DNA sequence: ATATAATTGACTAAAATAGTCGGTTATTGC
DNA sequence: GCAATAACCGACTATTTTAGTCAATTATAT
């Protein structure tokens, strides 16, 4: 399991979907606008998310993406795995012959570590994230942004 | 906290130090030979490890690096932090104004996540890794490599 | 003195990340 | 049927990170 900004983009986008996709599908243009992620980059990410059956798409006007199942059945680990899609979690191929016939010194360490992080992130669902108060309030602000441009962001909110 | 191959290299090298550096300092050339990491790349990594006070150096013949303290006082998290040295764990600066005055949707998630992974890796010391049977056997094989070139690596060993 | 080995800095190659562009296909509403 | 929408697709580019090279300098043990 690798942890980079790419996975964060994907989780952010999926969280946006979970928050705004309850009524109708959400277009990538909308997500792009709200989360400041480039549309074309989102296209790449969602191609992978769709291939991994995390989202389904609706074409044409009014179309977009929606979660392929309930937010409590989609986990952060799945999202990160989908966009990283590096099968090779250990860096040595998992084939146990990384060091020309030997197993590299930290082979087991990284397998363990990978497992631990993976199971940790497998316990966090989108629904779980949506429940967080902070996320809800931020989302509300983002929705209201067009009406009232607030420069009065208090520290308490953050 | 970012998790890439760079951190794995660093941990591997430090583990090598913990295993072979009990008597005398270990030269980067030795580590390079045993772990198949390029000497110059090790130089870069150890410059950072030294700046972060995880190793101390001894110049001249018979010199090399040793752990700056006991293996039970050096943790995987510290090693990874040292070589990544991206203070910005959240990707949005932690300054809480990533989205032009707003906090990005997953800001808290990644702070949490980062904290969890960090505390997990902060619980694993080099000494802890050395105690692992697998690591010891692999290390033994690596040390003996020059005497008996073994092509008879059984699956059970792996 | 000499060999060893850290230390430094500049430079390069390859890969991953992030993003652009120009199209095509399916669908909806008029 | 037509136009607008928005997914879908592939090729292409820029930036950053990773990984590694090279050439020198400095300290030190013998």
């Amino acid at each position: 399991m690798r942890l980079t900004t790419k996975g964060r983009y994907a989780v952010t986008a999926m969280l946006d979907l979970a928050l705004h996709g309850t009524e109708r599908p959400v277009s990538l243009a909308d997500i792009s606008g709200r989360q400041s992620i480039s549309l074309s980059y989102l296209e790449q990410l969602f191609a992978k998310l769709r291939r991994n059956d995390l989202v389904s798409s609706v074409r044409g006007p009014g179309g977009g993406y929606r979660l392929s199942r309930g937010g409590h059945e989609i986990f952060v680990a799945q999202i990160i795995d989908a966009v990283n899609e590096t099968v090779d979690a250990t860096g040595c191929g998992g084939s146990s012959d990384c060091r020309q016939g030997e197993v590299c010194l930290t082979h087991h360490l990284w397998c363990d570590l990978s497992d631990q992080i993976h199971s940790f992130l497998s316990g966090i669902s989108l629904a779980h994230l949506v429940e967080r108060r902070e996320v809800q309030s931020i989302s509300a602000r983002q929705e209201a942004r067009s009406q009232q441009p607030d420069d009065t962001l208090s520290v308490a909110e953050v």
Side-chain angles (χ1 to χ4, degrees), chain A:
Chain A
M1 163 144 300
R2 304 177 61 245
L3 281 183
T4 61
T5 53
K6 194 176 192 173
R8 187 160 55 234
Y9 274 122
V11 174
T12 303
M14 288 291 280
L15 193 48
D16 187 280
L17 249 193
L19 286 163
H20 300 94
T22 47
E23 307 285 303
R24 69 200 82 259
V26 179
S27 74
L28 294 187
D30 285 354
I31 299 178
S32 174
R34 271 192 298 265
Q35 307 304 335
S36 294
I37 305 172
S38 106
L39 179 58
S40 330
Y41 199 45
L42 281 175
E43 283 175 354
Q44 286 177 42
L45 296 178
F46 272 78
K48 292 178 178 180
L49 293 172
R50 202 170 67 96
R51 261 181 251 131
N52 283 268
D53 200 39
L54 295 174
V55 297
S56 60
S57 62
V58 180
R59 286 183 159 207
Y65 289 92
R66 49 169 40 122
L67 301 181
S68 64
R69 49 191 183 275
H72 35 268
E73 294 176 74
I74 296 179
F75 301 92
V76 174
Q78 297 174 314
I79 299 170
I80 292 176
D81 284 344
V83 297
N84 280 344
E85 67 185 15
T86 36
V87 191
D88 179 4
T90 59
C92 50
S95 58
S96 65
D97 66 339
C98 28
R99 285 272 292 101
Q100 296 94 266
E102 295 179 1
V103 175
C104 67
L105 205 49
T106 46
H107 182 102
H108 292 278
L109 165 63
W110 291 107
C111 289
D112 269 20
L113 201 55
S114 215
D115 286 351
Q116 296 255 11
I117 294 168
H118 207 274
S119 67
F120 171 61
L121 294 180
S122 292
I124 305 177
S125 69
L126 284 180
H128 187 270
L129 294 177
V130 169
E131 284 161 21
R132 294 175 55 109
R133 201 184 55 246
E134 299 93 345
V135 173
Q136 289 182 332
S137 68
I138 293 162
S139 174
R141 244 186 294 139
Q142 287 182 344
E143 276 168 350
R145 205 165 36 131
S146 47
Q147 284 106 4
Q148 50 166 42
D150 72 317
D151 300 296
T152 59
L153 181 66
S154 78
V155 180
E157 275 183 294
V158 182

